[in-house]
Amino acid sequence: MTSTRVDRGATRDTALHADAERPSRREQILQAAAQLFAERGSRAVGVDDVGAAVGVTGPAIYRHFASKDAMLAEMLLRISERLLAGGSEVVAGTGDDVTGQLRALIAFQVDFALGNPALITVQDRDLGTLAEADAAQVRRLQRRYVEVWVAVLARLHPAADAAACRARAHAIFGLINSTPHSAGRLSRSAMGALLSDMAWAAATA
């Protein structure tokens, strides 16, 4: 398989790094894998491709990950954990004002979407290729994140049942997570403002 070096000037998906300015070697490998998986699909990328993207031989990858599937599982688990923790934190830090909670959740999700376009693509396309146990864990975390939104939306729309609030939350995610398709059409700040306004309209309609 032909090796492909990831463009180091491209946007680095921030959710994979504890410190985006000084990522560990493990995090560098995950970032390179995320970019390659987004570009070509995880099934079309080999361990040697990931190694070439970070400047190491393919076998050196195995000091950090048992397999390519282990890379995929870790990146999707990491972003699911970060979304759940971050969403819960912004709601808790906003007080009891439901409109403030909603604005905080929208700002959090928009920032995540703009900062992690490759991971959004990988999540949408490759979650189904995970081993059953890993996929189940990712989905559990994601359901808990959705319920953070549902709790806020239910307060905003007291006449709506949980199923309607859940459907509304997923519709908002679909709108915000469209960033892989719209990247580069506007500046980050302009795109962030547009997404935030549209998400607010969808959440409050």
Side-chain angles (χ1 to χ4, degrees):
M1 185 174 293
T2 302
S3 296
T4 301
R5 180 169 292 278
V6 171
D7 178 5
R8 296 182 184 275
T11 300
R12 296 182 302 173
D13 286 40
T14 56
L16 293 174
H17 304 312
D19 181 350
E21 297 305 313
R22 292 185 297 176
S24 67
R25 174 61 80 184
R26 186 180 187 88
E27 290 169 342
Q28 290 172 2
I29 292 169
L30 281 178
Q31 176 56 55
Q35 189 68 38
L36 288 170
F37 292 174
E39 291 171 358
R40 295 158 49 187
S42 63
R43 298 299 91 180
V45 176
V47 171
D48 287 343
D49 298 321
V50 178
V54 292
V56 301
T57 60
I61 298 290
Y62 293 113
R63 291 202 288 268
H64 300 275
F65 295 97
S67 66
K68 181 179 64 177
D69 289 342
M71 295 179 212
L72 179 62
E74 181 162 332
M75 71 176 67
L76 295 185
L77 283 168
R78 278 198 186 201
I79 63 170
S80 300
E81 290 166 349
R82 183 157 291 193
L83 284 169
L84 175 58
S88 300
E89 182 178 343
V90 298
V91 168
T94 309
D96 289 332
D97 175 26
V98 67
T99 60
Q101 291 176 348
L102 178 59
R103 288 193 185 282
L105 276 175
I106 289 173
F108 171 71
Q109 183 67 35
V110 167
D111 185 66
F112 179 89
L114 290 173
N116 299 279
L119 286 170
I120 289 173
T121 299
V122 174
Q123 156 73 29
D124 286 348
R125 186 171 56 203
D126 293 325
L127 175 59
T129 69
L130 283 180
E132 184 176 345
D134 292 326
Q137 188 175 357
V138 169
R139 290 191 175 101
R140 279 194 298 271
L141 290 165
Q142 291 178 347
R143 283 194 295 269
R144 290 174 61 192
Y145 178 57
V146 171
E147 293 309 306
V148 173
W149 281 75
V150 169
V152 173
L153 291 169
R155 290 183 60 207
L156 196 68
H157 301 281
D161 61 18
C165 291
R166 203 166 288 118
R168 187 185 292 262
H170 282 290
I172 295 167
F173 296 152
L175 188 160
I176 296 174
N177 291 346
S178 64
T179 50
H181 307 290
S182 56
R185 298 180 185 274
L186 296 173
S187 68
R188 175 165 175 148
S189 60
M191 194 68 201
L194 178 62
L195 289 172
S196 296
D197 289 346
M198 293 174 69
W200 178 261
T204 57

